[in-house]
Amino acid sequence: MQQYKKAFFFILATIFILVVSPFLSFPQLKDSVHSQLVLQLQKSKADTNRVSILLKLGQYYIQREYYLYKTGNPRTQLDSACYFADEAHHLSQALKYENGKHEANLIKGDALIRKNEIRSALIMLGILNDSTRFRLLIILGQHYLFHTDRTQKDLDSSMHFLEQANKIAMSHPAEKWKPERIHIKAMLSFMTEGLQQSKKLYQTAIDKISLPGNEEKEALLWHELATLIPLREKTGVTRLYCFEKMYSLYKKSGNQERQAWVLKTIADIHLVEGKLDLAETELLDVLELYKGIGYRDLHYIYDLLAVTCRYKGDFSKCIFYGSKAIESVEATHDSVSATTFYSRLANMYRESGQPDKSVEWYSKALRDRVFKGDNNDYVFRDAFFFARELVKLKRAREALWYILDIHAKNKPFGVHAEACLLGSLAFCYHAVKQERQAEKYYAALIKLSDQLQQDNEITTDIHYELGQYFIGKTQYRKAAVYLQKALNTAEATHSYPEAKEIHLLLFRADSGMGNYPSAMKHLLRHKLLNDSLFNETRSWQMEELRVQYETAKKEKDIETLNNQYQLQRIGVEQANRTKNITLAFVVLLVIIVGLLFNRYLLKNKSNHKLQVHQKELDQKNTFLETLNTKQHVLLKEKEWLVKEIHHRVKNNLQMVTSLLNSQAAYLDNDAAVLAIKDSLRRMQAMSLIHQKLYLSGNISTISMPEYIEELLSYLHESFDTGSRIVFQQTIAPIDLDVSQAIPLGLIINECIVNAIKYAFPGDRKGIVSINLQSIEEDHALLNISDNGVGLPVDFDVMKPNSLGLKLVQGLTKQLNGNVNIISENGLSVIIRFEVMSKHISDEPFVNS
């Protein structure tokens, strides 16, 4: 049975892995590690090796959600980690494998912390040993230091848990804990002494574990240090230096996925620093690495390449990579990110001077965008640009209606979103020549502009808009102030297309103020940027790319139409087939209805005949029911009479018992008194049976466990042996017919009385065992034994010298059984007899 249970649970586990693993695994990766672990789990037995595989799977899913990089749905990863940790814990508990239990608890605690179920993780701390609690406390400290906003409350929580871990480490000064103690000190140092001291301690901890095989652990420490270092720090150990160290470590360990992620981060840093050619080369390497491992979400890499080419002013490549990003988004059905990439491509077309294409992509980006939310400034910014592009296409009134509709239905959150809305309204009213309304919104925008953050893209857009507004009013000095602010931000963020337009407006402002040398500088800069961004070759390349993209899109549309045509053709064929089937079904139905009607007529004739016969049958059934009722009443009366007989037999036996007790009181002969007492016990044995038959709901059988227990209790009280003789009974749940129960009860009585009287002379203590068990299908075995003095040496069991022994042998024959008496280390009486087949009444009697 146990083997079947194990096999059943193994099948369940296999089904879980085969069914659930596709959802828990990561289809965007060719992940050999996961596949190997699942295969090993399917082949494993319920031993410590299986625990090890389950722990590796749990750790695998924890690492998928590690702060170093997140892949897939974080909640799914962590639920999977908890599942495998629980499985490992249950199996370890069954195997009494303590190390497996500790590791499973650590993985479960880590997953709970990452799910932000801190209370559950804290409850777990109380059941962990020092080593596991120490490691979980470090994870808690890391959580509040690296996974939060680092408010003072978060830093206090991190310090609290790290100090608790440090206390455990100090009380266990083992050499293996030394790197962890330094790691704890490095994290605490950042919060108490500052970054520089923390850097030194992190490097010391890294030196301690810098051994072959520890590349992954070392890389994680470099990542923690990189997280603590500000991006603007350019001297000593910088964030870039940390990521370069991580890259070399992951390259050494062969972890291509993390290697690609780190290289992407390095490229991002180079992009911010303005090293655009280097960033582009690194991103192309990242693209190849991700393609090599089957990573599908390539749109994020294409997007960074598009941004890099935009900063370089290479709009042909910029739009190419932007289009590739959207292809990847649509191929992976990443609907959450789709609107962001639509917006990016729309901005690229806007900056490259293609308003028709930008309007197309802004329409897609804004189609499903939600303006409600705590951070809707960039949604309002897209609406701002969409309105400007519509105006360029001579659709100014449509642009105004669109902005007014947004204004009526949505509320901007924050000054930047409000500035975008005010700028859109001002620009659109000016475009449709409603200057009074335009002036009103421009005045509100000027008042709000002082509250905008510096070095913000929306601030640059608003300053550019106000500069353009003041140039239109010939207020060149005010225009120059706003345009210079916009230029500073645009050049700092390498937004060359915006810088090109700002230089042109500054040329007009300086010219209006008579500052011609400055005006010439701005004009030359505008010309230089314009030539670098839009020479003939690049315009041709851009057009070629656009044609390629449009061709690919049309081919895809044609393929879609062909598929739709095929589906329609199949639908028509199915409709015709359904029509023919329906027609055939109707004809068949008419035939069936005709046959059923004919059958109905025949059945009416048969029913008339049957009704006549039914009346006769009903009369006979009524007569039979009356007879059955009388028989049932007679049977009940018979059963009651049988019970009454048992009751009266029991009463008569008790009366005889009373008479014998009275007679014994007047006898002086001890032998006679002893004989009467033996007879009393035999009658009590029979009386008990009749009493149980009367009180029981069953009139034909006796439950032997209950009967024997009461008989032994009576004999124990009758002889008053106290604790000197102990009765041990092992009675199977056997029900015997009354014809067998009475002889068997008398046999037990004789054997027990004999053991009490002769087996333990003097004050000797002993044990009497009674064992009744079923053997084979229709036989039972009774074994009554004691550890007393046994039979005399010269005693011949074949020539019985006592009434008791004669009774035992005679009653055994009555049972159709055989008796075997063994005198060895006491006395054993073994009786094997055939159990009669019996009928047990299902209905209990009710005493009247």
Side-chain angles (χ1 to χ4, degrees), residues 132-348:
T132 312
R133 185 163 62 251
F134 168 73
R135 291 155 71 191
L136 192 60
L137 283 167
I138 292 175
I139 293 170
L140 278 162
Q142 288 173 315
H143 172 76
Y144 283 103
L145 185 57
F146 299 110
H147 292 225
T148 61
D149 298 328
R150 284 193 200 147
T151 62
Q152 189 57 47
K153 185 179 178 182
D154 294 330
L155 294 176
D156 289 344
S157 297
S158 177
M159 192 176 298
H160 169 73
F161 291 118
L162 291 173
E163 284 174 348
Q164 282 192 21
N166 204 30
K167 288 178 184 177
I168 297 174
M170 296 308 292
S171 62
H172 295 74
E175 184 64 26
K176 65 176 183 178
W177 286 18
K178 193 170 182 180
E180 290 295 351
R181 289 201 297 270
I182 299 170
H183 183 200
I184 293 168
K185 194 172 179 182
M187 288 187 281
L188 286 170
S189 177
F190 173 77
M191 293 179 275
T192 57
E193 301 176 84
L195 178 61
Q196 296 309 315
Q197 182 61 25
S198 180
K199 278 185 184 180
K200 294 176 184 177
L201 289 167
Y202 261 107
Q203 287 178 290
T204 305
I206 289 167
D207 291 340
K208 286 287 181 186
I209 67 165
S210 185
L211 297 169
N214 279 358
E215 289 85 3
E216 302 269 339
K217 291 181 180 178
E218 187 180 344
L220 291 178
L221 287 178
W222 280 114
H223 184 267
E224 285 185 11
L225 181 54
T227 309
L228 299 175
I229 299 171
L231 184 59
R232 63 179 178 275
E233 190 159 325
K234 303 297 181 185
T235 57
V237 178
T238 62
R239 185 180 290 189
L240 179 61
Y241 177 82
C242 295
F243 280 111
E244 286 171 345
K245 284 285 188 182
M246 289 170 64
Y247 180 73
S248 64
L249 287 165
Y250 285 130
K251 196 171 183 180
K252 190 182 295 183
S253 70
N255 192 330
Q256 287 188 318
E257 185 181 0
R258 294 196 185 187
Q259 185 184 338
W261 182 88
V262 173
L263 186 57
K264 178 176 77 69
T265 309
I266 292 170
D268 214 349
I269 294 172
H270 285 148
L271 182 62
V272 173
E273 292 177 347
K275 299 175 182 177
L276 303 178
D277 290 332
L278 179 58
E280 184 180 4
T281 303
E282 289 166 342
L283 287 170
L284 289 171
D285 289 341
V286 171
L287 197 61
E288 291 305 312
L289 281 170
Y290 272 139
K291 285 180 178 178
I293 60 175
Y295 188 83
R296 294 182 61 202
D297 295 338
L298 298 176
H299 33 279
Y300 300 106
I301 315 302
Y302 283 125
D303 181 60
L304 277 174
L305 280 165
V307 172
T308 306
C309 293
R310 172 178 172 263
Y311 287 170
K312 290 173 68 176
D314 191 345
F315 274 93
S316 57
K317 283 186 179 180
C318 175
I319 291 175
F320 171 75
Y321 287 127
S323 302
K324 293 292 285 182
I326 289 172
E327 283 182 17
S328 176
V329 163
E330 292 176 347
T332 55
H333 307 289
D334 188 357
S335 57
V336 176
S337 304
T339 53
T340 302
F341 291 109
Y342 292 157
S343 173
R344 297 271 175 84
L345 188 57
N347 283 326
M348 294 171 197

Side-chain angles (χ1 to χ4, degrees), residues 681-784:
R681 293 188 191 97
R682 290 170 187 136
M683 279 188 283
Q684 181 64 24
M686 291 186 289
S687 176
L688 275 174
I689 288 175
H690 288 288
Q691 181 180 1
K692 293 190 74 64
L693 287 170
Y694 172 68
L695 295 175
S696 170
N698 196 323
I699 63 170
S700 61
T701 61
I702 295 294
S703 173
M704 295 311 294
E706 296 176 8
Y707 169 68
I708 292 172
E709 185 175 0
E710 289 183 20
L711 179 59
L712 288 175
S713 177
Y714 162 72
L715 292 174
H716 186 272
E717 291 175 3
S718 174
F719 282 97
D720 191 19
T721 60
S723 60
R724 186 170 63 84
I725 299 175
V726 177
F727 293 100
Q728 292 180 346
Q729 50 181 316
T730 307
I731 312 300
I734 299 174
D735 291 346
L736 292 181
D737 189 86
V738 65
S739 62
Q740 287 191 303
I742 289 174
L744 193 68
L746 290 171
I747 289 170
I748 293 170
N749 177 76
E750 292 302 321
C751 292
I752 296 299
V753 169
N754 182 69
I756 294 171
K757 289 166 67 175
Y758 306 115
F760 308 104
D763 293 330
R764 183 170 177 173
K765 295 183 178 180
I767 299 173
V768 179
S769 300
I770 305 96
N771 189 313
L772 177 64
Q773 299 294 331
S774 294
I775 57 173
E776 300 173 1
E777 290 185 359
D778 55 354
H779 283 75
L781 187 70
L782 174 67
N783 184 353
I784 302 172

Side-chain angles (χ1 to χ4, degrees), residues 487-631:
L487 181 63
N488 293 340
T489 306
E491 289 181 341
T493 57
H494 310 289
S495 299
Y496 298 118
E498 292 179 2
K500 173 179 72 72
E501 297 300 326
I502 295 169
H503 278 297
L504 183 60
L505 287 178
L506 279 169
F507 159 73
R508 291 176 61 187
D510 286 341
S511 298
M513 291 187 293
N515 189 358
Y516 298 112
S518 178
M520 288 301 296
K521 287 180 183 179
H522 287 300
L523 183 60
L524 288 171
R525 184 62 181 157
H526 166 76
K527 178 66 175 166
L528 182 63
L529 287 172
N530 192 61
D531 290 344
S532 65
L533 292 173
F534 298 104
N535 56 46
E536 284 188 14
T537 303
R538 290 191 176 180
S539 297
W540 177 81
Q541 288 174 346
M542 192 182 304
E543 185 61 26
E544 184 182 24
L545 286 170
R546 189 180 70 80
V547 169
Q548 288 177 0
Y549 179 77
E550 291 294 332
T551 303
K553 187 178 177 184
K554 285 178 182 177
E555 287 176 354
K556 191 174 181 181
D557 290 342
I558 290 169
E559 185 180 353
T560 303
L561 288 171
N562 284 334
N563 290 336
Q564 289 177 350
Y565 170 73
Q566 291 293 333
L567 289 171
Q568 287 176 351
R569 186 174 61 79
I570 292 168
V572 169
E573 289 176 358
Q574 287 179 343
N576 288 333
R577 193 180 297 113
T578 304
K579 181 181 176 182
N580 293 334
I581 291 170
T582 304
L583 185 62
F585 179 75
V586 169
V587 172
L588 184 62
L589 188 63
V590 169
I591 294 170
I592 291 170
V593 168
L595 291 172
L596 288 173
F597 182 71
N598 183 52
R599 181 70 179 167
Y600 170 75
L601 295 175
L602 292 172
K603 194 172 182 179
N604 272 347
K605 292 179 181 179
S606 300
N607 283 342
H608 181 68
K609 293 179 181 179
L610 287 172
Q611 284 174 358
V612 175
H613 291 300
Q614 187 65 38
K615 286 181 181 178
E616 295 176 2
L617 287 172
D618 287 344
Q619 291 173 355
K620 291 178 181 179
N621 285 338
T622 304
F623 178 71
L624 286 172
E625 284 177 3
T626 304
L627 287 177
N628 283 336
T629 303
K630 289 181 180 179
Q631 185 179 6

